[in-house]
Amino acid sequence: MPSLFSSLVLPSMLFWWQVVAGLSSLSEICNSTFITDALPVDAYTGIEIDKTSLIVNQLDNFTVNSGGAYNICNITFSYTHVGRDDTFQVNYWLPDPAAFRNRFLATGGGALMINGGASGPSDGPVYGAVSGRTDGGFGSFFTEYDTDGVDLLANGTLNYDTLFSFGYLAIHEMSVLGKALTRSAMQMDATAKLYSYYEGCSEGGREGWSQIQKFGGEWDGAAIGAPALRYSFQQVNHLFSGVAMQTLGYTPMPCELDTIVNATIAACDAFDGRIDGVVSRTDLCKLHFDMSSIIGTAFYCEAEPSYAGGPEGSPHGAEPAQNGTVSAEAIAVARTILDGLHDLSGKRVYLSYQPSATFADATPQYNDTIDAWAPPVDGVGGLFVARLLQQLELSALPTIEGVTYDTLRDWMVLGYQMFQDTLQVNWPDLTDFYANGGKIVHYHGESDNSIPPASSVRYWDSVRKIMYPGMSLHQSAEALGEWYRLYLVPGAGHCSSNTLQPDGPYPDAPLAAVIAWVEDGIKPVMLNATATSGAYAGEQPLCAFPLRPLFVDDGETMICEYDPDSLDTWFFDFDSILMPVY
């Protein structure tokens, strides 16, 4: 077996499906009578299932989000908690019994939603799994956590039931009930192994880690992308860009910031040994690119009319044409944002995005009253502060006037204290999951403009240090890589490919890699990924961190190298905060 620290090649992935014999047809099990008898009424103490709420219907040739058409049984029912006046809905998809492969798949949400909000937990049929989702008790599968009456009962009154539900409990309950339903409805023998998997990205990634960290012994594997770890730090960090502009006294035009991003991509493209329009080594970009070289670059963007559906669905006001040259003041703003939040004494509070990520949090707002661009008040960060920290029934933080770097630090720490047991999700001791033989594929776009990839690196490093104390980086990374592997995706944005670097690769099917690892022992030494366009379209497998990609032979061959100098750019000392921040 090759060392993690050697040049690696992608292994072929083979799946050996074991057909489950003796099951009924889908039409025989997909009816209210059969499913009523299969409901997991005794699976979870304190939960009462409402049998009258059961809805069962068969969907034939249903096209799932990830592609392909499948016959499935769509099941929804409600339950309540004894002693509480609440209602939770759960939704499960059962595959055709002939396609069932002894698997249960839990899925998560995104943004402020506890589930994906689409037509259902759609990846289950692809893998022969029963899959499930929950509405978190919020009244609908399309309700966001920040809606009135969900996170607040009134000004100053946090709804702690929904806080715990959103934080981790609803996903856990859905999974326990779902696994019991799977065994019963799919007529599994009591001794048969049921594999339990989780898949999610962004908020769904945070939810996935909440399950692995709190209920590790109940899971066999997880494919987790760009998780919103350290919730209070992540959400408040969205406000940092606006506060940086306010503090530095300069608000760049959006076109000016876009020019900085595009120039950075062009300048840092070749550092990985290949010119392909993709920054595969943002760490080398940090070390070797002088952003001041962009000063004086001309930019121009046409005027934009007002329209209804701006960011987060809000109205978008008219914007004038933008033209000029990139200023030293704009470069100072960009550098400050990428350097990450420091307190007013200069001590580091948190980390930030990699060069080549767009300045999504820094999109200035045009104020036609004063005919000038104004620092933004990020909607997600502002919502977190207004509703969860200040506990006010506001849809946004009205202003950042008077907010300093120290204010942001204090908000991060306050949220750390308030939500450590619910939303934070940064517990690094994964002993139960490891002891259960669990496997994790964790991936993160290197040009993510919403959740910094260094956030994932920090968590990986925290697990490494806690689980393997006293070992060198080489030794502990090798040991950790036997069950938990992190992959940074060159050029990729937040949970997707990137329009500014469209020729970059993106993971093909992370969950498939997890399943092959768990069930067949095929460790994803490199993770399958594909570039869909460009001169190098095709397979472009991903290196497992801490190895970094490097192209040799005039860009034709990729190796995974260990580069200690560039690795130092990924690790940070949060010396402004006395408590450990894993």
Side-chain angles (χ1 to χ4, degrees), residues 17 26-27 30 57-74 92-101 103 105 119-131 199 508-509 511-512 515:
W17 305 121
L26 186 64
S27 60
C30 195
N57 62 300
Q58 184 170 327
L59 305 176
D60 293 329
N61 295 315
F62 187 86
T63 302
V64 301
N65 289 347
S66 54
Y70 299 85
N71 298 335
I72 59 174
C73 184
N74 185 26
Y92 301 100
W93 281 6
L94 273 59
D96 190 298
F100 178 57
R101 298 295 180 263
R103 296 173 185 143
L105 173 63
S119 56
S122 60
D123 264 355
V126 178
Y127 300 103
V130 172
S131 52
E199 182 178 37
D508 296 325
L511 183 59
I515 291 173

Side-chain angles (χ1 to χ4, degrees), residues 25 59 81 89 92 100 125 186 243 250 254 263 268 296 322 325 346 353 392 419 454 470 491 534 539 544:
S25 67
L59 305 176
H81 295 90
Q89 294 183 89
Y92 301 100
F100 178 57
M186 304 309 287
V243 174
Y250 183 79
C268 296
Q322 306 167 49
T325 59
Y353 309 104
L392 298 174
F419 306 120
E539 291 185 2

Side-chain angles (χ1 to χ4, degrees), residues 379-403:
V380 174
L383 194 69
F384 173 77
V385 171
R387 293 185 73 88
L388 289 180
L389 296 186
Q390 299 175 347
Q391 297 176 27
L392 298 174
E393 291 187 275
L394 299 173
S395 59
L397 190 67
T399 180
I400 55 171
E401 185 177 351
V403 174

Side-chain angles (χ1 to χ4, degrees), residues 31 38 69 72 74 80 85 163 205 238 251 255 263 282 305 313 339 342 358 363 366 377 451 456 476 493 495 555:
N31 60 79
I72 59 174
N74 185 26
T80 62
D85 183 20
L163 172 66
H238 283 304
T251 302
C255 194
T282 59
D339 192 32
H342 291 68
T358 64
T363 305
Y366 184 71
V377 183
I451 300 176
S456 284
S476 55
C495 296

Side-chain angles (χ1 to χ4, degrees), residues 419-442:
F419 306 120
Q420 178 59 39
D421 58 344
T422 51
L423 300 175
Q424 280 293 103
V425 186
N426 60 330
W427 187 260
D429 181 0
L430 305 181
T431 300
D432 288 347
F433 181 75
Y434 169 73
N436 192 51
K439 304 291 188 291
I440 295 178
V441 165
H442 179 173

